[in-house]
Structure formats: structure tokens, C-alpha cells
Amino acid sequence: RCRITMKTLSDLAISSGQKIIMRVDFDVPLLRSSGASERQAVIAESFRIEKQKETIDYLLDSGAAVLMIAHISAVDSFSSILPQLASLLGREIKFVKDLEGIDNFLKADQSLGLLENTRTWSGERENDSAFAQRLAQGFDVYVNNAFAVCHREHASVVAITQYLPSYAGQLIIKETQELQKAMSAPAEGKIVIMGGAKASTKAPVIKSFLPNSEAVLVGGVIANDILKAQGKEIGKSIVDDEAAALLSGIDLADPRLIIPKDFIINKEKFLDIGSESVNDFVEKIKNAKFIIWNGPMGLFEDERFMAGTKAVAQAIADSQALSVIGGGDTILAVSKLGLIHRFSFVSTGGGAMLAFLAGDRLPGLEALSYYDQ
């Protein structure tokens, strides 16, 4: 376990008028009817946005001016959802359309701004120092409050820390503390539930936790991957092309690895776990003391294939166990079910949560000196 050495907001003496640039996470799913324009997009799940509010309010109430920087994948620009963001945060937001607009924001008497989608600029993904330096220009402090992107070596997450005094926001502190607890919890009574797709992110977690938990329950595409690796028939079910290599080093015969016994099948594809598997999973959940869950059990977006995910979510919510859940699809599913407030901790991270739990060093945390001894 690492001794936490990164600077937090409690180490920062905020003065009135101080200029802060803050990495936030607004990469949320949007709903758009067929043929609708970006202007008609509606935020489908606002959990990640709401989790930014505590740190934003703290900085603004302390007298700082804050420019938020973030990316979004569902649309090219934040412009279409800006009114919704303002409503969710309960604040007026000045939209900064380009890098030149940053200078105007800094000169004007405005307290809260949002820069256009950072991935509009090529330098973001390349972790380009010149781009990071341009972002930092004119600001006094950098705050990272976007745990969900800490596994990305991007300019607004990593390189920018070279140019400004850098601090972890309140959400980063909470995320690392809660996920560290999950990793440190005793193996006895701890179960891990992995679903969804992307063997690349799920396999390392399975590998890490299989010897250190009572059971690892697997659904979704990752279950198909394991069944295929075991030589089982999976019809036309979706699999990860890299699965065989990713699963190497995992003992697929380990009795602690719980694979579905049956499935809901449509057009020769496994699209949800079946009733027998649901009963097995629910029984394991009932007796658990600590539960980690990332990824739905099937194609939950279609009501016909929601039963497995719903049963798992409800069983965790009803259990006496401490629970840590995360991942965009998982959050969307439990929100649809009205259960999001029934878990001990809901992580804003998907890939970042999985990378942290697998024991990887996250570049965004490394840039904040999280791993310094």
C-alpha cells in the first residue's frame, strides 16, 4: 500500500481571485432520437457531473475563479449540453470556445468557465508539453478532480502538472481511498463481479483478485471469452479478439472462478445470463462481506436482456456487504433501476477503476505524486 503523498486542497490556501484550471469529468452518455441534431442531445446519466459539484463549490465559495477542462465522446462539442451542465451544477458557466478565449476568461470578472472538448486539440491525446503549457498559461494552480481519466497519459491530466502547482481534488481523494479499501479487504467474504466487454481491462483484475478473494463471478462478453478459451461452444456470441493472450496466466479451472451455467440466447448469441446462473450469483452475493462490481451481465440496454444485471444489482443493494461498483454501463444500469444510492461507494471510473484495482500505476495519479514513498 502506498503512503499518500500527493497534495490535496487542504494544502492549498485559496485567495480571492485566484485562477484555477481544473480537470473535471463530463464524459457522459447522451440520448438522441433518430435523426436528431447535437442540439437536441439530452444527458442520459448525470452521476459523473454531480460528483464534480463538491470540489467546484468549494473552490468558488473560497473566492477562486475556475476554468473547467474536460472531454466528451458522445458529441464533438460541449455547446449543446452547456445549459444542462449549468443546471446540474447550479452555476452559470461561461463557455470558452477556443484557446484564445482562455485569455478573455482570465481577464473578465467570471467565476466559472468550461473550455471546449479538450480532444478537439491533437496535443491532448499526445500529452504534448506545448499544448499543456498553453492550457496552464495565466493560471495559478492546477487541480485534477477527474479520477476517470487518470489512466490516460493526456496533456490535461499529466503534462500540465509540469507547469503549475498541482493538487488532487476531493473526488480523487475519495476514489483512491475507497478503491484502496477494496484492494485491502480480506479475501474471506470478498467477491468480485466482472461483466461487460473489454477483456483487456477485465482480465488483469480477474488475475489480481482470483487468488485474493472468495469468488470471481463473470458475465457479459468476458464470460464468452473464458468459455471459448475452455473450448466450450458459444455460437455466434461476441468475443474479444485478444482474449486468449489476455487470459493467459489465469487458472481457468480455479473453482473460485464462477462462470455462468446458462444464458438467454438470441440469434445464437449469449445476451444475458440465464435463471440458473442468476440464482448462483445471487446466492454468492447474499453471503458476501465485501463486493466489487464492474460491468453488466448482458445487453442490459434491451429490456429482454436486462434480467441478469437487474438481479445482480438488486442483490448487491439488498445485501449487508460493503459494496464498490463502477463503470459507465454499470452506473447507467443501476440508475435506470433506481438503485444508484444503494451501494457503499460508486466509482466514477471505468477503465481507471479497473486499472487501479489491477495494481497498475495510473499516469494521472503518478503526476500528482500519489505513488511517491
Side-chain angles (χ1 to χ4, degrees):
R1 181 170 181 170
C2 297
R3 181 170 60 88
I4 310 304
T5 55
M6 61 185 177
K7 290 180 181 176
T8 69
L9 294 182
S10 60
D11 300 309
L12 175 63
I14 303 171
S15 56
S16 183
Q18 198 166 32
K19 311 293 187 185
I20 295 177
I21 186 165
M22 182 164 82
R23 187 50 160 100
V24 297
D25 178 23
F26 291 161
D27 189 28
V28 291
L30 303 180
L31 290 175
R32 228 174 21 230
S33 56
S34 179
S37 68
E38 282 194 7
R39 292 180 180 279
Q40 296 164 297
V42 175
I43 293 169
E45 213 303 302
S46 58
F47 176 77
R48 282 180 164 180
I49 298 164
E50 291 161 8
K51 295 301 282 187
Q52 295 295 326
K53 186 170 167 51
E54 181 185 2
T55 301
I56 291 167
D57 286 348
Y58 173 78
L59 294 174
L60 293 177
D61 292 347
S62 300
V66 178
L67 179 66
M68 302 178 291
I69 51 174
H71 77 280
I72 188 164
S73 308
V75 288
D76 294 329
S77 173
F78 279 118
S79 58
S80 62
I81 62 165
L82 196 69
Q84 295 171 71
L85 291 171
S87 176
L88 287 164
L89 296 175
R91 302 274 184 176
E92 188 178 327
I93 301 172
K94 168 66 178 175
F95 186 48
V96 179
K97 296 178 184 177
D98 49 38
L99 297 179
E100 291 68 36
I102 297 176
D103 301 328
N104 295 329
F105 173 79
L106 289 168
K107 288 175 197 166
D109 187 23
Q110 287 154 340
S111 56
L112 185 64
L114 172 65
L115 180 65
E116 181 58 284
N117 187 353
T118 57
R119 293 186 183 174
T120 300
W121 294 278
S122 59
E124 167 69 348
R125 291 177 189 264
E126 285 74 20
N127 196 32
D128 180 69
S129 293
F131 175 60
Q133 193 169 14
R134 178 65 185 91
L135 287 177
Q137 194 175 312
F139 289 94
D140 302 307
V141 168
Y142 167 74
V143 174
N144 186 350
N145 202 48
F147 176 77
V149 293
C150 279
H151 62 315
R152 303 290 188 197
E153 197 166 349
H154 289 176
S156 67
V157 179
V158 176
I160 194 170
T161 62
Q162 300 168 34
Y163 303 104
L164 289 171
S166 301
Y167 297 82
Q170 290 154 316
L171 183 60
I172 294 256
I173 302 303
K174 184 71 171 170
E175 290 273 5
T176 52
Q177 287 175 343
E178 293 297 329
L179 294 179
Q180 191 66 59
K181 280 184 204 171
M183 294 173 74
S184 305
E188 184 187 352
K190 178 160 71 179
I191 69 166
V192 178
I193 307 167
M194 288 285 117
K198 294 186 184 175
S200 59
T201 57
K202 306 292 164 63
V205 180
I206 294 171
K207 192 178 293 187
S208 177
F209 277 97
L210 195 55
N212 300 303
S213 61
E214 204 164 275
V216 176
L217 282 49
V218 182
V221 174
I222 188 72
N224 301 344
D225 295 330
I226 292 171
L227 287 167
K228 185 180 179 182
Q230 290 176 331
K232 305 282 176 61
E233 179 54 50
I234 60 167
K236 295 179 180 177
S237 300
I238 296 169
V239 290
D240 191 312
D241 294 337
E242 307 290 319
L246 293 164
L247 293 171
S248 67
I250 298 174
D251 180 3
L252 301 182
D254 192 316
R256 291 170 293 192
L257 186 62
I258 312 297
I259 313 297
K261 293 177 182 173
D262 61 338
F263 293 89
I264 306 298
I265 302 170
N266 184 269
K267 296 180 180 177
E268 298 179 60
K269 292 181 181 179
F270 296 166
L271 296 180
D272 194 8
I273 59 174
S275 57
E276 193 178 349
S277 303
V278 165
N279 291 337
D280 287 348
F281 283 24
V282 168
E283 203 56 40
K284 289 281 184 191
I285 291 166
K286 278 181 183 174
N287 296 314
K289 296 175 184 173
F290 201 113
I291 300 166
I292 301 164
W293 176 32
N294 184 298
M297 297 297 98
L299 189 67
F300 75 96
E301 298 91 340
D302 186 325
E303 289 292 331
R304 295 173 296 170
F305 313 115
M306 178 71 162
T309 301
K310 182 177 181 179
V312 164
Q314 191 69 58
I316 299 171
D318 291 343
S319 76
Q320 299 301 306
L322 291 169
S323 54
V324 172
I325 76 166
D329 285 342
T330 312
I331 291 169
L332 189 58
V334 297
S335 294
K336 282 176 71 173
L337 293 166
L339 296 172
I340 197 162
H341 300 296
R342 298 278 306 279
F343 307 95
S344 307
F345 181 69
V346 182
S347 174
T348 57
M353 171 190 175
L354 293 168
F356 190 96
L357 291 174
D360 295 350
R361 291 170 74 97
L362 275 57
L365 296 183
E366 204 152 25
L368 295 172
S369 304
Y370 176 81
Y371 301 103
D372 288 3
Q373 298 299 314

